[in-house]
Structure formats: C-alpha cells, structure tokens
C-alpha cells in the first residue's frame, strides 16, 4: 500500500517560507485508482513530486510520512530512491515534450528505462523495447509509417502528442511498477485520443495490478477512471472518499461547485456554473480560517476559525464546518 500521512511541503522564496501542501493524507492500494482533482495551482503535481522524491532546490517536506509498504520514503536518500523509481514507483509527467529528451531517439530512451534496472544483452533489449511499444498500441505492420521499427528511430518532435504520451507510458511501465502516478497524461490531447490513452492505462492496470494516482483537473475523467477521489483546494485535500459516494452526494461546497461546472446536455440552455474568483496565491493563504472562505456560497462566521476534518462515514472525509 502507498500511504501518505499528514504531508506538509514548504517552498522558500525571497527568504520567506510558504506552505504549498498542508497536512495531506491519502492512500492507494493495488488495483485501486485514486484521482486527485482540483484547479490549476492547487498542488496536484507537488504531491506527485513529493512521492517520487523529486522535490528540488527551494522545496522540502517539513512534516508527515510517505509509506510504501513498510518503508517511509521521506527518509530515503537519492540513491535509495533511484532503486525504486521505475520498479516500485513510476510516473507519467504532465508535459511529454519536456520529459522526453529531444536529442535522443525514442528506441534509445526506452532502452535506458530497462538498462537502469536490468542487465540485458543487445537483442534482449531490442525485444523489450519492441514489446513495450506493442503494449502501448504501436503495430509491427511492415511498410506502414508508424510501425515499431519506424518509431524507434524517430525523435520526440517527430511524433504526435498522443504518440509521445504512449511512449511516456511505455517508459513508465517498462519495469512493471507497483504504483504509477499519472499527472494529467491526457490534458493536451483531443477527446478520442484521450479515451484511447485512458483505456490503455486501465488495461495495463488490469494486467499488472498496479495502484494508480491519477491527476486531473477534469472531474468527468476522474469519475470514469477512479475508484477513489481526493478533491484538492489550495494545498489541501478538502474532501476524500469513494468516487461513487462523492459524485452522488458531494459534501464540500467546492466539490459541489466542481461537479456543477460539468457541462450537461440536459440543461443545455442554462449557463455553466463557474466558481467565482481564483485559488489564493501561496502568500495569501491563511491557516486560521477555511481556505475556501472567500469563494464559498455557504460560508458562515464559524468558517473564520481553523477547520477540522470530519469523518462522515467509513473512509469518507470532508473539511467543512457544515458537518460539525
Ligand atoms: N518552483 C516553484 N517556486 C515557487 N512556487 C512554485 C514552484 N512550483 C510550483 N509552485 C507553486 O506551487 C503551487 C502548486 O503547484 P502545482 O504545480 O503542484 O499545481 P497543480 O495543481 O499541479 O497545477 P496545474 O493543474 O496547473 O498543473 C502553485 O501555487 C505554484 O504557483
Ligand atoms: Mg500540475
């Protein structure tokens, strides 16, 4: 099980520290998919980097733990992390163009993923690369433009966005990871390609029994794919539970607003509900009141005090004064 408890991360800028993640708790088991949803800037990618041990420079974990089975990864050195990245934990990044090396051919980049963890002969490597490209839907039909032999010799910029995303998936799952973090893997893609990629991730999960953390700002995608949801707002998880429960009966005013902003063909003539205002910037966040206060339709004076997490029923949590 991958289990994050009370994780707090700070960013230091201009000699000031800001809490970018506050008291994050979540967990995912094999075969489960936890969706993290929330507006841009709420800290979704920061959770991913924290779990992957990729916080750099001005960011650091100041409290909490990240347990992978029995080990606390917050205690890991970079060397120890290198041992588990790819095999136990793996990640598909938000921006395929930025994460693939533009100067190295696709085949070589996939080879690298295997070479870090396995000692293989040249022909074994070639086989692995071919199989992994086949696993993500590339065909080995001779004389076609995008057959595997062809793709192997291309550079990232020669591929379409969807093809690049499939290559990223091939790299991420090369060494059969137990847990995969997919950070907005389909945001830049058209809906048809998006669905193909999502189905691909689902199929791989079924085959490998992976646990997945799936990050998206699109609650419709999360609803289709995930067994559990964590709704994030300004560095906090404000609601957490099973997908079915949350979509059927959202509790937090922010979750309600997110669900109401989904376009719905039944009320075509009604305007879409947008949530007024913006996520507060790091230097505007106060821990002394509800983080959603300024934008909340249901706010009362009670929300001006520090907010507690409430356990509603088994494994459902919400941070809102409406429930205590
Ligand atoms: N290097 C950095 N220095 C300072 N602040 C940063 C840095 N990287 C991220 N942030 C801030 O941290 C917060 C969380 O960012 P993060 O990238 O995790 O958001 P996100 O939810 O993934 O957003 P998006 O949906 O746009 O990808 C944001 O307020 C962002 O401005
Ligand atoms: Mg992000």
């Amino acid at each position: 099980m991958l289990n994050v408890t009370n994780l707090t991360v700070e960013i230091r800028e201009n000699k000031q520290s800001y809490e970018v993640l506050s008291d994050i708790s979540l967990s995912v088991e094999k075969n489960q998919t936890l969706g993290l949803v929330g507006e841009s800037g709420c800290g979704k990618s920061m959770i991913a980097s924290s779990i992957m041990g990729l916080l750099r420079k001005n960011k650091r974990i100041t409290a909490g733990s990240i347990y992978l089975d029995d080990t606390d990864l917050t205690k890991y050195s970079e060397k120890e992390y290198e041992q588990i990245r790819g095999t136990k934990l793996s990640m598909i990044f938000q921006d395929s163009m930025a994460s693939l090396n533009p100067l190295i051919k696709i085949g070589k980049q996939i080879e690298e993923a295997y070479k870090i963890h396995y000692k293989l002969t040249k022909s074994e490597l070639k086989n692995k690369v071919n199989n992994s490209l086949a696993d993500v839907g590339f065909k080995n039909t001779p004389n076609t433009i995008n057959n595997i032999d062809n793709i192997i010799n291309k550079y990232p910029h020669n591929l379409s966005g969807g093809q690049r995303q499939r290559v990223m998936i091939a790299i991420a799952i090369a060494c059969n990871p137990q847990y995969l973090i997919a950070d907005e893997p389909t945001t830049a893609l058209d809906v048809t390609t998006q669905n193909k990629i999502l189905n691909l991730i689902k199929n791989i999960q079924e085959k490998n029994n992976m646990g997945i953390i799936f990050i998206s700002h699109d609650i419709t995608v999360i609803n289709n794919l995930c067994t559990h949801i964590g709704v994030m707002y300004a560095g906090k998880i404000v609601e957490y539970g099973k997908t079915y429960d949350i979509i059927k009966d959202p509790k937090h005013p922010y979750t309600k607003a997110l669900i109401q902003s989904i376009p719905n063909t039944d009320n075509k003539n009604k305007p879409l509900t947008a949530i007024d205002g913006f996520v507060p910037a790091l230097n505007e966040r106060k821990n002394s009141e509800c983080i959603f206060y300024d934008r909340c339709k249901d706010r009362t004076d009670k929300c001006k005090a520090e907010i507690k997490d409430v356990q509603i029923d088994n494994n459902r949590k919400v941070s809102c004064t409406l429930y205590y």
Side-chain angles (χ1 to χ4, degrees):
M1 194 199 274
L2 180 63
N3 199 355
V4 175
T5 9
N6 309 111
L7 182 75
T8 298
V9 172
E10 280 185 8
I11 285 193
R12 233 184 131 67
E13 240 180 30
N14 305 328
K15 299 196 176 140
Q16 286 269 0
S17 291
Y18 303 102
E19 234 174 67
V20 62
L21 295 178
S22 314
D23 208 19
I24 298 287
S25 295
L26 55 87
S27 67
V28 48
E29 291 174 29
K30 288 191 176 157
N31 286 315
Q32 285 184 347
T33 305
L34 168 67
L36 289 179
V37 65
E39 278 163 286
S40 186
C42 67
K44 304 181 296 295
S45 296
M46 205 64 77
I47 291 187
S49 314
S50 307
I51 296 173
M52 293 300 295
L54 296 172
L55 291 179
R56 295 285 179 263
K57 291 185 214 146
N58 58 344
K59 306 176 200 104
R60 67 189 183 97
I61 293 174
T62 53
S65 54
I66 303 170
Y67 271 91
L68 179 64
D69 300 326
D70 296 327
T71 33
D72 184 357
L73 301 182
T74 62
K75 309 269 188 316
Y76 260 28
S77 65
E78 175 54 24
K79 244 199 150 63
E80 287 171 302
Y81 246 115
E82 277 167 17
Q83 301 291 317
I84 62 160
R85 275 193 218 111
T87 51
K88 291 197 169 166
L89 277 179
S90 202
M91 178 157 171
I92 307 166
F93 290 89
Q94 199 162 359
D95 179 356
S96 64
M97 217 38 199
S99 358
L100 292 170
N101 188 325
L103 304 175
I104 301 178
K105 288 181 181 168
I106 298 298
K108 271 261 167 305
Q109 298 202 46
I110 303 177
E111 276 182 17
E112 287 307 316
Y114 286 104
K115 274 158 90 178
I116 296 171
H117 297 287
Y118 303 122
K119 272 210 156 358
L120 298 169
T121 64
K122 245 188 156 150
S123 71
E124 283 169 334
L125 255 181
K126 191 172 177 340
N127 259 333
K128 287 268 187 203
V129 171
N130 278 349
N131 290 342
S132 70
L133 283 171
D135 282 347
V136 295
F138 290 102
K139 300 273 182 290
N140 222 342
T141 334
N143 306 323
T144 51
I145 298 174
N146 287 323
N147 73 30
I148 289 176
D149 282 340
N150 232 312
I151 292 285
I152 283 171
N153 287 310
K154 288 192 167 161
Y155 291 95
H157 71 267
N158 298 130
L159 306 186
S160 72
Q163 289 174 330
R164 270 200 302 274
Q165 215 48 284
R166 284 195 273 152
V167 169
M168 298 255 293
I169 296 173
I171 292 174
I173 59 159
C175 300
N176 248 325
Q178 297 167 352
Y179 294 93
L180 175 73
I181 303 179
D183 189 357
E184 311 247 16
T186 59
T187 314
L189 306 173
D190 62 87
V191 182
T192 326
T193 317
Q194 168 170 306
N195 289 344
K196 278 189 195 149
I197 300 277
L198 295 179
N199 283 334
L200 175 64
I201 294 176
K202 252 188 193 165
N203 291 341
I204 295 167
Q205 176 177 38
E206 272 164 27
K207 230 163 63 186
N208 302 7
N209 305 321
M210 275 184 314
I212 298 181
I213 296 181
F214 189 90
I215 295 176
S216 175
H217 56 260
D218 186 340
I219 197 155
T220 320
V221 171
I222 296 265
N223 182 28
N224 287 335
L225 198 75
C226 300
T227 54
H228 296 74
I229 299 184
V231 180
M232 284 195 75
Y233 188 78
K236 294 197 161 98
I237 291 184
V238 294
E239 182 158 4
Y240 189 90
K242 292 202 176 111
T243 303
Y244 176 80
D245 296 336
I246 289 186
I247 300 290
K248 190 183 73 172
D249 180 23
K251 299 284 188 201
H252 197 284
Y254 179 62
T255 317
K256 288 183 192 170
L258 269 187
I259 291 173
Q260 273 160 15
S261 64
I262 302 172
N264 181 340
T265 42
D266 295 342
N267 50 11
K268 252 192 279 192
N269 300 322
K270 285 197 201 148
L272 282 180
T273 341
I275 311 169
D276 285 336
F278 298 96
V279 181
L282 290 178
N283 58 353
E284 294 165 351
R285 295 180 189 176
K286 299 176 219 156
N287 267 333
S288 53
E289 65 178 33
C290 174
I291 197 86
F292 191 52
Y293 185 83
D294 290 336
R295 301 172 77 188
C296 185
K297 283 199 226 145
D298 301 320
R299 67 183 168 224
T300 63
D301 279 349
K302 213 173 157 187
C303 314
K304 284 273 187 192
E306 202 172 323
I307 302 298
K308 287 188 285 194
D309 281 345
V310 196
Q311 190 91 25
I312 299 184
D313 35 41
N314 59 342
N315 291 328
R316 177 109 188 251
K317 257 194 332 198
V318 60
S319 315
C320 179
T321 59
L322 289 175
Y323 305 95
Y324 61 84

